[in-house]
Amino acid sequence: AQRVTQPEKLLSVFKGAPVELKCNYSYSGSPELFWYVQYSRQRLQLLLRHISRESIKGFTADLNKGETSFHLKKPFAQEEDSAMYYCALRTNAGKSTFGDGTTLTVKP
Amino acid sequence: EAGVAQSPRYKIIEKRQSVAFWCNPISGHATLYWYQQILGQGPKLLIQFQNNGVVDDSQLPKDRFSAERLKGVDSTLKIQPAKLEDSAVYLCASSLLGTLSYEQYFGPGTRLTVT
């Protein structure tokens, strides 16, 4: 069965510092990986997906199949990045599995 | 476009009672998901519909949980009877298709407290 692990429950950085939120996965097939974000009092929403190889709000994530990781990175964190971040995996059959999330706090 | 709607937003019941949640997905979205999110954990998929057929319900506790999707649009999730461990936020999401890289759009969730 597939599994998504986010090893850090809490992550705190200062404004302007680089930030990396870790995500590791296990899945025997070829996965689709996503990062979802939930800002305070808002709905869970898609941040980015690996297949698009896009940068959203300055965030990027690279799928590393050798290390089975999909870490989320941003070179200069902003206070508005403070939120809960979830890594998610979708299998070939379309089933989604989420990690337990990382709460990011960006301090002024 | 209107987002995914869910009701009620909050519900408090006693154990062994029944409860039902309703979800209206985004118009035209064929795939509908129900997730259970226990405090401190990520969303756990309970059931996934494609139109009105079930794609995956492997993690649905079928002895007490049931779900249906009427005419491939709205959906209801029912718990009967509820247990204390069912206290969680129940999230509904929808997407255009289930097997391609289309994003899931989430509703605001229903917070259930079982006492």
Side-chain angles (χ1 to χ4, degrees):
Chain A
Q2 65 277 4
R3 186 183 179 108
V4 176
T5 303
Q6 294 179 250
E8 304 136 330
K9 275 282 190 189
L10 303 170
L11 186 61
S12 182
V13 301
F14 284 101
K15 176 183 173 181
V19 63
E20 180 179 69
L21 291 88
K22 292 183 169 55
C23 172
N24 295 95
Y25 68 90
S26 63
Y27 175 55
S28 57
S30 184
E32 295 177 46
L33 275 297
F34 304 81
W35 277 99
Y36 281 81
V37 62
Q38 188 166 26
Y39 301 103
S40 180
R41 294 192 177 90
Q42 293 188 28
R43 304 179 183 200
L44 196 58
Q45 59 186 287
L46 179 69
L47 180 62
L48 56 78
R49 70 199 89 184
H50 93 270
I51 201 168
S52 301
R53 302 186 66 81
E54 56 203 344
S55 173
I56 302 293
K57 298 183 179 182
F59 284 97
T60 59
D62 290 318
L63 177 60
N64 186 324
K65 293 187 177 181
E67 296 183 358
T68 59
S69 67
F70 187 56
H71 303 327
L72 184 68
K73 301 176 184 179
K74 186 170 183 177
F76 307 103
Q78 303 299 314
E79 289 181 66
E80 55 265 31
D81 297 328
S82 295
M84 178 73 107
Y85 292 81
Y86 294 95
C87 182
L89 177 152
R90 178 179 288 168
T91 67
N92 297 333
K95 179 175 179 178
S96 294
T97 300
F98 283 74
D100 284 338
T102 297
T103 301
L104 173 65
T105 301
V106 181
K107 297 179 286 188
Chain B
E1 62 182 4
V4 175
Q6 289 187 248
S7 67
R9 293 294 312 277
Y10 305 90
K11 190 74 177 179
I12 301 174
I13 61 172
E14 295 181 350
K15 59 184 179 184
R16 291 187 290 272
Q17 286 187 323
S18 302
V19 65
F21 312 127
W22 173 82
C23 173
N24 181 236
I26 292 173
S27 178
H29 281 196
T31 308
L32 185 147
Y33 313 78
W34 281 105
Y35 290 91
Q36 179 193 58
Q37 187 172 20
I38 293 172
L39 187 64
Q41 299 181 19
K44 183 183 86 171
L45 181 68
L46 292 176
I47 188 167
Q48 178 178 338
F49 293 95
Q50 182 113 336
N51 296 308
N52 59 356
V54 176
V55 173
D56 187 306
D57 64 356
S58 57
Q59 299 191 97
L60 186 74
K62 298 180 185 65
D63 57 334
R64 298 185 301 107
F65 286 65
S66 64
E68 60 179 3
R69 189 175 184 193
L70 305 172
K71 300 179 182 178
V73 182
D74 292 7
S75 178
T76 56
L77 176 70
K78 297 179 182 178
I79 308 175
Q80 180 179 10
K83 293 185 175 181
L84 295 177
E85 59 260 35
D86 298 332
S87 293
V89 174
Y90 290 84
L91 295 167
C92 180
S94 68
S95 65
L96 278 171
L97 285 171
T99 57
L100 299 178
S101 292
Y102 290 106
E103 70 181 274
Q104 295 183 43
Y105 293 82
F106 283 84
T110 296
R111 184 177 298 277
L112 173 67
T113 302
V114 182
T115 62

